[in-house]
Amino acid sequence: MYSGKLPNALTIAGSDSGGGAGIQADLKTFASLGVYGTSVITALTAQNGFGVTGIHAPNADFVIQQLRAVLDGFPIHAAKTGMLFSAEIIEALANELNKIDFPLVLDPVCVSTSGHRLIEESAVEVMKEKLFPLATLVTPNKPETEVLTGIKLVDNESIEKAGKMLLDMGAKAVLIKGGHFEEKPILVTDWFLDSTGIQKLQQPHVDTQNSHGTGCTLSSAITAYLAKKQPLIVAIKKAQEYLNCALRNSYAPGKGIGPVHHLATIEQLNHVR
């Protein structure tokens, strides 16, 4: 019997019936990185490799019932949010999360890879007002950054301006993800900003169409490393390496766009043995 203890991490996000993103991606990432995963489900989605065909969200009271059950039953060492869907859910979560004493990674999920809107329009402003000030790190991609700031990202100057605006909204740090900037770059650049300035964090580009769940996977990997007490910038760099490995080994288990391979690092360790 295993006698050690794993850090506990929490994901607050939507469920992906295709298993490649959302809660499913987060829990796979937590497990593969040696972290025990707990979850609060904010929405059920009907989706597969072709896209999202339906969304059903529980009421805010039940979301909070899940959250309180987790926080009452587990010492959480880090948490992340993903798809939150409605203003009511965000308001309720903010009232509970303002009491936490562990790192919180906010992945401001707005639109799916297939283009389906995953948050009600009225919820965006509430998220900025209520959740950004609670976030250790906010991890928007290019389209999400443009929605959140109203700034079109076209060059380094506009990226830095948008990042500083996100910091001004209350986030302690921002990671603007670079996967949507160029068609086939040699390196993919993410921009990290905090009170000390801005720096570029790069990884080799992986040429694959099986990229479903990349944002969820990166934010949950950062959360896992934060739960393991890694400094924020170290957690981000390690998470980038993990995602890059998952992309290099990605494949399509079904029809359409496949997910990243969350267990690739474990498979590689097993081959070494």
Side-chain angles (χ1 to χ4, degrees), residues 3-77:
S3 58
K5 284 189 175 181
L6 303 179
N8 296 328
L10 166 63
T11 169
I12 305 170
S15 169
D16 171 8
S17 55
I23 288 284
Q24 287 82 352
D26 295 342
L27 293 178
K28 290 173 187 177
T29 300
F30 289 163
S32 66
L33 293 176
V35 173
Y36 182 79
T38 61
S39 63
V40 170
I41 298 178
T42 58
L44 305 177
T45 69
Q47 64 176 296
N48 54 28
F50 297 122
V52 179
T53 58
I55 298 173
H56 174 75
N59 61 49
D61 288 342
F62 185 68
V63 172
I64 298 307
Q65 188 175 352
Q66 294 177 74
L67 178 61
R68 289 175 177 170
V70 171
L71 296 180
D72 288 345
F74 301 86
I76 298 300
H77 300 102

Side-chain angles (χ1 to χ4, degrees), residues 21-22 30 76 87 106 117 134 171 191 200 239 254:
F30 289 163
I76 298 300
L106 173 58
R117 191 172 185 92
L134 306 179
W191 288 264
K200 294 180 180 180

Side-chain angles (χ1 to χ4, degrees), residues 20-213:
I23 288 284
Q24 287 82 352
D26 295 342
L27 293 178
K28 290 173 187 177
T29 300
F30 289 163
S32 66
L33 293 176
V35 173
Y36 182 79
T38 61
S39 63
V40 170
I41 298 178
T42 58
L44 305 177
T45 69
Q47 64 176 296
N48 54 28
F50 297 122
V52 179
T53 58
I55 298 173
H56 174 75
N59 61 49
D61 288 342
F62 185 68
V63 172
I64 298 307
Q65 188 175 352
Q66 294 177 74
L67 178 61
R68 289 175 177 170
V70 171
L71 296 180
D72 288 345
F74 301 86
I76 298 300
H77 300 102
K80 66 152 287 187
T81 65
M83 176 185 178
L84 300 178
F85 189 64
S86 72
E88 291 77 15
I89 289 174
I90 292 171
E91 287 257 18
L93 285 170
N95 290 335
E96 296 294 316
L97 293 174
N98 64 14
K99 308 165 190 173
I100 64 175
D101 59 357
F102 47 79
L104 177 66
V105 177
L106 173 58
D107 185 5
V109 175
C110 296
V111 180
S112 70
T113 303
S114 58
H116 197 288
R117 191 172 185 92
L118 298 178
I119 186 171
E120 293 179 341
E121 197 166 339
S122 61
V124 175
E125 290 302 317
V126 179
M127 178 169 60
K128 291 193 291 187
E129 178 186 349
K130 300 290 186 179
L131 285 184
F132 273 50
L134 306 179
T136 304
L137 177 71
V138 179
T139 63
N141 59 27
K142 181 178 184 285
E144 289 161 351
T145 301
E146 292 175 343
V147 167
L148 292 165
T149 65
I151 297 173
K152 189 74 173 175
L153 303 187
V154 294
D155 53 22
N156 287 333
E157 184 179 349
S158 58
I159 291 167
E160 185 169 3
K161 182 179 179 181
K164 288 179 177 178
M165 184 179 291
L166 295 173
L167 289 175
D168 289 342
M169 293 174 191
K172 296 179 182 66
V174 174
L175 185 71
I176 298 177
K177 297 174 291 189
H180 290 75
F181 279 87
E182 294 183 52
E183 185 65 26
K184 288 186 179 180
I186 297 173
L187 295 173
V188 174
T189 301
D190 296 336
W191 288 264
F192 175 76
L193 298 92
D194 64 7
S195 60
T196 66
I198 183 171
Q199 59 179 299
K200 294 180 180 180
L201 305 177
Q202 296 180 315
Q203 284 287 317
H205 170 72
V206 179
D207 187 12
T208 176
Q209 72 163 358
N210 299 316
S211 58
H212 183 53

